[in-house]
Amino acid sequence: MMIIMNIDATKQQIAAVVTRIEANGFKAHLSQGEERTVIGVVGNNPLNTREQFTHLPGIDRIVPISRPYKIASRELIPQNTVFPLDGVQIGGDEVMIIAGPCAVESRSQLIETAYAVKEAGAQALRGGAYKPRSSPYAFQGLGEEGLEILAEARQLTRLPVITEVMAPEMVPLVARYADVLQIGARNMQNFALLHAVGECMHPVLLKRGNAATLEELLMAAEYILSHGNRRVILCERGIRTFETSTRNTTDINAIPVLKALTHLPVILDPSHSTGRWELVTPIARAAVAAGADGLIVEVHMDPENALSDGEQSLKPERFAELVRQVRSIAQAIGRC
Ligand code: PEP
Ligand code: MN
């Protein structure tokens, strides 16, 4: 439920409500609106404690949060969550473009790609050091060596680095090197991992599971938020449907639906959602037109010889063209 304070509620009155919430075994989530403070009461205490608050001074009204996710909901936090990733405000007016190879394959491959995507207009670098592959015989990533290479690329290019973490015990190691922790589609409901990144203060890029509903995605985000980490970016990356002509089916609807349900930034991955490089730019355009706050795109210098996902990777020149097109669409809808 949400406790909506009076416009003239004092700091002491707000503090008294927070104390009462915590004394009842809940967590208080303060949202400071322009006019008034709204306090979310979140937690799993089954007692209906509404009566515990009704007599406290400074309260205007108490209303339930109708969604199963609470801190992620726009009901509790109406204003967009916006936070900086180096120079760019993710969730703000600017459309953030993240690019890089599926996997870090070698030092020269990653550094060359990092310079190329930066030159083309990317604002952050992606690259997997730990790869969740369907086959145990496929390239699994360079591990910590890959993280070291990513950190070097950041130092050279000044691009913030986004990379996947696959297990809770790996979070401290990956966080030492990365700026943003990626939770892959296959791990969207790995609750131990969500808990671990929730306690880590790095921003998290949470990818939608390929058979997850948007409510399940938001519940996964709620796990992270409820453990204290408020910097979560949601990523639509295609879902599994009966259609076989593309690797996944891009759920473009997910973008405006999520933007209505949550204040969190929402980005789209046109690479995994299509699986074919020639579809990446059209779907990237569609995503930005639909209101995405950013894109994460796979780029490879030599896609034919990539160790993973070459068929969906753009060469740098094609990526540069994607950036140009997407920036004009962003401008046409009042963004940049
Ligand atoms: C990736 O980003 O390289 C990746 C493995 O994506 P997903 O988890 O969406 O399949
Ligand atoms: Mn990939």
Side-chain angles (χ1 to χ4, degrees):
M1 63 190 184
M2 291 183 286
I3 300 180
I4 300 170
M5 302 301 292
N6 285 328
I7 292 177
D8 56 3
T10 64
K11 280 197 180 118
Q12 290 75 11
Q13 289 171 337
I14 294 169
V17 173
V18 170
T19 306
R20 178 63 60 89
I21 290 169
E22 290 171 353
N24 279 279
F26 290 102
K27 278 190 187 155
H29 181 276
L30 260 71
S31 170
Q32 223 84 48
E34 267 172 29
E35 272 199 335
R36 52 173 97 222
T37 299
V38 174
I39 309 175
V41 183
V42 290
N44 61 3
N45 188 334
L47 296 175
N48 180 354
T49 48
R50 189 187 168 95
E51 294 68 35
Q52 306 270 347
F53 301 98
T54 35
H55 66 282
L56 290 177
I59 293 177
D60 177 16
R61 59 193 193 281
I62 300 177
V63 291
I65 303 174
S66 63
R67 309 282 177 187
Y69 44 90
K70 309 294 176 191
I71 312 169
S73 76
R74 265 213 200 268
E75 276 175 277
L76 179 61
I77 305 175
Q79 64 282 9
N80 285 337
T81 287
V82 181
F83 56 86
L85 263 188
D86 274 10
V88 184
Q89 298 286 333
I90 180 100
D93 283 343
E94 198 164 348
V95 171
M96 174 150 200
I97 303 182
I98 304 160
C102 178
V104 181
E105 299 172 4
S106 69
R107 182 180 177 280
S108 59
Q109 170 248 12
L110 188 79
I111 307 282
E112 202 184 343
T113 315
Y115 278 120
V117 297
K118 178 163 183 161
E119 167 82 22
Q123 294 137 315
L125 176 67
R126 63 147 291 146
Y130 298 92
K131 295 304 303 175
R133 305 305 299 279
S134 303
S135 165
Y137 308 117
F139 176 58
Q140 305 285 310
L142 294 181
E144 190 167 358
E145 186 193 344
L147 295 175
E148 284 165 5
I149 297 171
L150 282 164
E152 187 184 350
R154 179 191 35 221
Q155 228 176 8
L156 293 171
T157 61
R158 303 263 149 232
L159 290 173
V161 161
I162 297 173
T163 196
E164 179 159 354
V165 56
M166 296 206 300
E169 64 277 12
M170 300 298 283
V171 170
L173 174 72
V174 178
R176 262 212 310 280
Y177 294 96
D179 298 286
V180 178
L181 303 176
Q182 175 173 322
I183 304 292
R186 292 157 191 79
N187 271 317
M188 189 204 84
Q189 285 186 318
N190 179 338
F191 298 116
L193 181 58
L194 298 176
H195 183 149
V197 297
E199 283 178 347
C200 168
M201 284 304 130
H202 278 50
V204 176
L205 175 64
L206 176 64
K207 299 189 91 175
R208 179 184 185 181
N210 75 355
T213 64
L214 295 180
E215 187 165 295
E216 286 163 341
L217 171 62
L218 289 165
M219 291 305 280
E222 188 79 10
Y223 264 89
I224 303 171
L225 297 166
S226 66
H227 284 101
N229 191 344
R230 297 294 154 84
R231 293 187 296 169
V232 177
I233 304 162
L234 303 174
C235 180
E236 164 62 37
R237 47 76 74 207
I239 49 174
R240 183 164 289 189
T241 68
F242 55 81
E243 181 53 67
T244 53
S245 57
T246 50
R247 180 177 181 183
N248 290 293
T249 297
T250 313
D251 183 7
I252 285 286
N253 298 0
I255 298 164
V257 171
L258 286 170
K259 293 296 293 179
L261 295 175
T262 182
H263 49 87
L264 297 171
V266 177
I267 72 167
L268 184 116
D269 174 343
S271 310
H272 292 88
S273 66
T274 61
R276 288 167 44 188
W277 70 264
E278 70 276 22
L279 304 179
V280 167
T281 300
I283 296 305
R285 293 195 300 256
V288 173
D293 295 304
L295 297 167
I296 180 164
V297 182
E298 287 187 340
V299 176
H300 201 281
M301 307 304 292
D302 179 15
E304 290 78 18
N305 291 303
L307 296 184
S308 64
D309 287 349
E311 19 358 295
Q312 64 190 36
S313 297
L314 293 181
K315 291 183 179 162
E317 318 79 74
R318 291 208 165 94
F319 171 66
E321 183 53 30
L322 175 152
V323 174
R324 274 191 289 278
Q325 294 186 9
V326 152
R327 292 274 175 238
S328 10
I329 291 173
Q331 270 169 17
I333 57 169
R335 303 187 72 165
C336 48

